[in-house]
Structures are given as C-alpha cells and as structure tokens.
Amino acid sequence: MARILVTGVAGFIGSSLSRELIVRGHKVRGIDDLSGGTLANINDLLPELDFEHADQCNQALVKKLCQGVDVVFHQGAIPSVPRSVLDPLGSHRANVDGTLSVLLAARDAGVRRVVYAGSSSAYGESLTLPKHEAMAIAPISPYAVQKVTGELYMQSFAKIYPLETVTLRYFNVFGPHQAADSPYSGVLAKFITAMLAGQRPTIFGDGSQSRDFTYIQNVVEANILAALAPAHLIRGKVYNIACGERHSLSETYDILGGMLAFYTPPVFAESRTADIQHSLADITRATSDLGYKPSVGFIEGLRRTVEWYKTQTDRSSTTAKLTDAALLQPV
C-alpha cells in the first residue's frame, strides 16, 4: 500500500483517480480549493479520503501534506482554454505558481515521484497528425503556455533534484463526474446534458473539427502505470494519453443523438479564440514505456457517460418531485 497525495482531488480527473486508488487499497490524501471541483465528486470517498480544503499555492501546507507520501498526482489546475483567455493572470497563478509550489513541497518532503497532468494543447495548431512527443511544442492559448511551463518545471526538477517526475499529456478527457454547468465545461458533457434537457447544444465552428476523445478510465489507468513504471524509463519524460483515433464534433453529435433519441440539429456559433482544428495522438511511447493501452473505446465510453448523466438527471428529477410534494402538503 502506497501513501499518495492528489491535488485537485475534487475535480473530474482527480476524484476519478482517487476513487480507483482507494479501491486498490492505497492511502490517499487530497487537496482542493473547490474553485473548480466540488464536494459532490468526493463525498462517496469520505472518510477513506484524507481531504484538505486549501489552495495548492500554499507551499508550507502542501509540504506538510507531502510528508510520508510516495507519489503525488498533480491534477490541480484551471483546465480551460477560454477561461485562460479571459483571465490569464488567475489561470497562471493556479497552473504555474501552483505547479511550482507542489514541486517544491514534494522535493522538500522527500516524495519519490510526481505525475503531472499535462495537456495536448502543447502542440498548438500543428498540421502534423498524429501528434507525437518529439514534435516541437507550439502553445497558442495562455492555458497551453502554462501547462507547457509546468512540463518544463517537471523536466528541470527531474534533472537537478532527486525527484522523479513524469508528464502525461491528456487528449480531451470525458466521462462521469465531468461538470456540465459551466461555460468552460467539456464539450461532451455539455452535449449530453443539453440533449437530456431537450435543448439544442451549441457547436462552436462548423463541426468538422476533430478530437482524440479519451474516456476517463483510460486516463486513470495511465496515471497509475506512470506511478509504477521504472524510473530509468520515465524520469523527466512526456507521454501522450489518448486512444489514437479522432472523431469530428458533428460525428460525435450524431452518435450521441442516436443514443439519446435526440434528432434536432445543433446551434452553430463562431469558433472560439485559441481553439484548434484537429487533434490526434500517437500513443506509441506510452504503450512502450508504460504498458498503456486504452481499455475503454470511444463508443463504449460515450455509452457509459450517457448512462451516468441519465442517472444524475433521474436523481435530480426525483428530488424535485419529492420537494414539490412536500410543499403541497396541507399545513
């Protein structure tokens, strides 16, 4: 059994990773300031999860939480391109200052390894497909610049300190527990919840843009593999984590529409600033070094995600009906 710290533990990926780690018998601590994550994501993990409601930029506190920890999974971030465009300074603090704070705390506490949540946005609008780790980075958005800065810090610390670091570049992660109630939410979460509500989802652009959508379980498994891999293979390295296939937004919209019997066309809007047109990962390096192989394909991932959001909708509907019934009771 390992002792583990997960930053951003109440977020979509952080909570999903922590849930799997706890199931596997590991002792998990988590930190989150709840600016993006929610307690609802981790309520089922308590009291097994040792949760600290705090800011990861608080280096002294993070160092305290790192005491006795073997591995830090650094998921804490503001993971939004549009939000970074609107508020680059706030995004920088969370994504760059927060990462440096975690690295310093981990180094000083004697943590063995830090696994960092990188982003495929590092590749920018390169026309080369698939994207591979040897390509030059070309970040466009402030968010992409910040995540690349975190990668470079990981590489630096692995070279000059006795700290093992590894970066996983995620490609468009989706699945249960992903927030859908924000302008910055993942596109699939917004598509599914809008369709369930009988509303027309919005596609920014013409729908031809494509993504290497990656189901959350694949990302969770990749993190665990990265924590277990031999240091000489992974130290300071970067790995693409995806499925190695791409689907356009229009194609994805039609698939979801078929699953949900929703046949109304989407609303098309102007493309958003700093959005890229196509994304596709080469996962050869992750397969070779980590033993990574996606266990859940795109269609199956969509099916599982749709079913989860359905249960959330049904639960909300039941709660609303019970509340209404209570209000109608005679006094």
Side-chain angles (χ1 to χ4, degrees):
M1 180 180 72
R3 295 186 65 86
I4 291 164
L5 174 65
V6 179
T7 68
V9 71
F12 164 45
I13 299 176
S15 62
S16 300
L17 174 59
S18 298
R19 189 169 290 107
E20 181 65 22
L21 290 167
I22 289 171
V23 166
R24 295 190 183 201
H26 298 295
K27 182 66 175 178
V28 182
R29 295 173 181 167
I31 181 172
D32 203 303
D33 65 2
L34 301 181
S35 61
T38 66
L39 287 175
N41 280 343
I42 58 173
N43 277 338
D44 65 311
L45 305 182
L46 303 173
E48 288 84 2
L49 173 68
D50 179 10
F51 174 61
E52 186 78 31
H53 179 192
D55 186 345
Q56 66 187 18
C57 289
N58 184 340
Q59 185 188 333
L61 176 59
V62 178
K63 179 181 175 180
K64 180 180 178 181
L65 294 176
C66 282
Q67 296 296 327
V69 163
D70 302 300
V71 178
V72 174
F73 291 99
H74 181 37
Q75 306 294 320
I78 298 178
S80 169
V81 169
R83 189 165 169 182
S84 77
V85 171
L86 290 174
D87 181 19
L89 186 60
S91 186
H92 177 98
R93 181 182 181 279
N95 297 340
V96 178
D97 296 348
T99 294
L100 181 56
S101 170
V102 170
L103 276 170
L104 290 169
R107 180 201 65 182
D108 294 346
V111 170
R112 176 177 61 85
R113 183 171 299 181
V114 176
V115 181
Y116 173 63
S119 169
S120 61
S121 62
Y123 295 112
E125 190 58 286
S126 169
L127 298 178
T128 301
L129 293 177
K131 316 290 187 184
H132 58 85
E133 296 91 343
M135 290 173 58
I137 54 176
I140 297 172
S141 67
Y143 170 72
V145 171
Q146 293 152 15
K147 296 305 286 184
V148 167
T149 301
E151 288 188 8
L152 295 175
Y153 266 126
M154 292 290 153
Q155 293 169 14
S156 171
F157 271 59
K159 288 179 179 178
I160 63 177
Y161 302 116
L163 179 65
E164 301 164 10
T165 69
V166 57
T167 294
L168 305 181
R169 283 182 183 159
Y170 302 156
F171 282 67
N172 299 95
V173 188
F174 73 96
H177 297 282
Q178 188 170 34
D181 56 358
S182 161
Y184 312 114
S185 297
V187 63
L188 299 190
K190 295 187 76 66
F191 278 5
I192 294 168
T193 52
M195 288 178 179
L196 284 170
Q199 301 168 355
R200 295 173 66 191
T202 298
I203 291 179
F204 294 95
D206 62 7
S208 65
Q209 59 269 47
S210 61
R211 298 289 182 265
D212 195 334
F213 291 112
T214 311
Y215 186 66
I216 181 63
Q217 186 60 33
N218 299 324
V219 171
V220 167
E221 290 170 0
N223 272 274
I224 294 172
L225 288 169
L228 295 174
H232 73 275
L233 283 179
I234 57 87
R235 188 173 187 137
K237 292 176 71 173
V238 174
Y239 296 93
N240 290 338
I241 302 301
C243 288
E245 59 185 53
R246 62 188 173 114
H247 303 271
S248 74
L249 294 192
S250 290
E251 173 196 355
T252 302
Y253 185 95
D254 290 342
I255 294 170
L256 288 173
M259 289 181 175
L260 291 164
F262 185 92
Y263 303 111
T264 306
V267 175
F268 288 96
E270 185 177 350
S271 298
R272 297 184 298 189
T273 303
D275 270 357
I276 64 171
Q277 187 65 19
H278 298 293
S279 183
L280 173 66
D282 181 334
I283 59 174
T284 303
R285 179 187 284 185
T287 299
S288 174
D289 288 4
L290 306 179
Y292 168 74
K293 183 179 179 181
S295 62
V296 181
F298 176 61
I299 299 298
E300 174 62 18
L302 286 183
R303 187 192 66 77
R304 294 185 189 186
T305 305
V306 164
E307 289 305 311
W308 184 82
Y309 281 111
K310 279 183 177 179
T311 64
Q312 303 308 297
T313 301
D314 292 344
R315 186 176 295 118
S316 297
S317 176
T318 300
T319 301
K321 288 177 181 178
L322 290 173
T323 302
D324 290 344
L327 290 172
L328 290 172
Q329 292 298 318
V331 178

